[in-house]
Structures are given as C-alpha cells and as structure tokens.
Amino acid sequence: MSDDGIVIERGLPDELREQAVEIFEEAFGSKMRMAVRDAQKRREFMRRSYDAGHAIIARRGDVLLGMAGLSAKDGEYAGGLMGRSWDPRPYHDLLGWVGATWAVWGMRLSDHRPKADELYVDGIAVAPEARGLGIGTRLLDEAVTVAREERKRFMRLDVIDTNPRAQALYARLGYRVTKVQSFRHKERWVGFGGMISMELPVLADDAEDGEAAI
C-alpha cells in the first residue's frame, strides 16, 4: 500500500464489479454503443462478460479508482477482458438472439488480438474523481511487471485520436507510435475518427536472465 492508501491489485473482486462497470461506461460507453446501443443493457453486458482474472485495479479501501484489462495470445491472460467466448447465448435473454450476436461480434471486431510476444492493454480507465492521482501510471507500471513475468517483449495499447492527454502520458512513459488507423466514416456513431497503436519494449532481446530493459 502506498502512503496515500492506494493499492494496486490483480483481479477484479466481485464487490467492485459494479464500480468497474460504471468507470468503463463513463470512459468507453460511446465507443461501445455500436455493439450495444442501450446504456443500461450495455452495463449489464459488461457485468456478465468481464473476466475478473484479466484485470488489474487501483483501489482505496472499498472504492475502485481505476482498472485496466490485460490480454495475451495465450497463457493466463488469453482472451482479454471479455474472455475467450464468441458465444452469444449468455446474453440472449438481455438482447435477444440478433442483438446478442451483434454485441459479441461488435465487441470482438474491436478486439485487437495481441501477438505472441506482447501483452495488450485491453482498455484502461480511471474514475473521474481519481484523475490527477497518477492512477493510470500505476496501472501501467503493474502491467509492465505482468508482461515481464509472462516473458513478453512488448506492451501494446491503443488510444483514440480524441484523447491527446492519454497519448501524451503514454509517450512520457516511453511508448512509441507504431500504427495509425483512420475510420472517419464511423465517427458519427463512435465519437472518434482514428486509433493510434503504441508500443513499449519491456524485455531486451538478449535478456536470458529475465533482466528488463525499457
């Protein structure tokens, strides 16, 4: 625990799931509305779909301050925050068969599957009242620790073009731009027109003893 009482943990406890849904809805609700348009149904979809074991969190007592999902091609974090399944059946009572199929397909369409040598940050969000406390940096530091333990060479994340503050943070932490995608034709539905991929080396090529290099 830090001097300010903030704790970084792996895994999302059940008692904090509702707070996680609200934090991610505030951060990413507009991005996910193509998959599930109704906000309340979108929240319920997140409650059901998020894999607790694929998250790292920041908390102060029983208050969730931020969360990041992690994804890898295989191993402990395979499947990312939404898990592995493309199965719409768990959501048919909520969205109907067509809506459930569309939601699962829509979420997976935006799922940036990691390569074998990288750990992907599958969404990172900080509660509005906790911004400015360095929560995002602490979560990313823990993600780097996970990547090294998993023997990955790179951390990767994506940031939308309308979030320059996050882009600046990632750049300060050493992430470099590797790809820029533009999809202006979707902007009216998702609220942004491009995605920037950024990457951070976390293991040296010749690190036989596991010594890390930034």
Side-chain angles (χ1 to χ4, degrees), residues 45 65 112 180:
F45 184 87
L65 304 176
H112 304 271
V180 177

Side-chain angles (χ1 to χ4, degrees), residues 5-208:
I6 297 173
V7 177
I8 305 298
E9 297 179 354
R10 299 182 189 181
L12 175 64
D14 286 344
E15 65 269 21
L16 297 182
R17 182 173 288 262
E18 187 64 29
Q19 293 182 53
V21 167
E22 291 303 320
I23 289 172
F24 264 59
E25 169 63 22
E26 192 275 336
F28 301 118
S30 61
K31 180 181 176 182
M32 295 187 291
R33 69 187 181 197
M34 282 189 69
V36 185
R37 183 165 295 277
D38 181 86
Q40 292 307 314
K41 290 182 178 180
R42 190 164 59 240
R43 287 182 173 90
E44 180 59 26
F45 184 87
M46 287 189 278
R47 289 185 193 100
R48 299 186 191 186
S49 64
Y50 284 169
D51 187 322
H54 294 168
I56 53 177
I57 67 167
R59 67 187 295 175
R60 183 188 279 138
D62 59 359
V63 177
L64 185 67
L65 304 176
M67 186 177 82
L70 299 179
S71 179
K73 185 175 181 179
D74 49 29
E76 184 175 352
Y77 296 94
L81 189 57
M82 192 179 159
R84 298 172 182 267
S85 179
W86 284 77
D87 188 355
R89 285 177 294 181
Y91 317 108
H92 83 277
D93 64 318
L94 175 68
L95 301 169
W97 283 113
V98 174
T101 301
W102 175 260
V104 171
W105 179 83
M107 291 294 188
R108 286 302 191 187
L109 188 64
S110 62
D111 181 18
H112 304 271
R113 295 175 190 160
K115 299 175 184 177
D117 63 351
E118 65 185 17
L119 185 70
Y120 179 68
V121 179
D122 196 7
I124 179 169
V126 176
E129 64 273 15
R131 290 168 189 167
L133 300 178
I135 301 299
T137 299
R138 298 188 206 192
L139 289 169
L140 289 171
D141 286 346
E142 182 66 14
V144 167
T145 299
V146 172
R148 291 170 177 166
E149 292 174 358
E150 296 287 311
R151 303 293 300 156
K152 303 300 184 183
R153 290 183 56 209
F154 300 99
M155 286 289 309
R156 183 168 66 85
L157 51 78
D158 293 315
V159 58
I160 59 176
D161 61 353
T162 56
N163 194 351
R165 184 175 178 180
Q167 294 176 45
L169 168 63
Y170 304 147
R172 287 198 303 271
L173 294 175
Y175 288 79
R176 63 183 181 86
V177 174
T178 58
K179 185 178 181 180
V180 177
Q181 301 176 72
S182 178
F183 28 81
R184 294 294 173 188
H185 60 289
K186 294 183 181 179
E187 189 168 5
R188 60 176 295 187
W189 292 287
V190 298
F192 58 93
M195 186 80 72
I196 301 163
S197 295
M198 304 182 75
E199 183 180 86
L200 175 74
V202 295
L203 283 181
D205 292 340
D206 57 353
E208 296 178 355

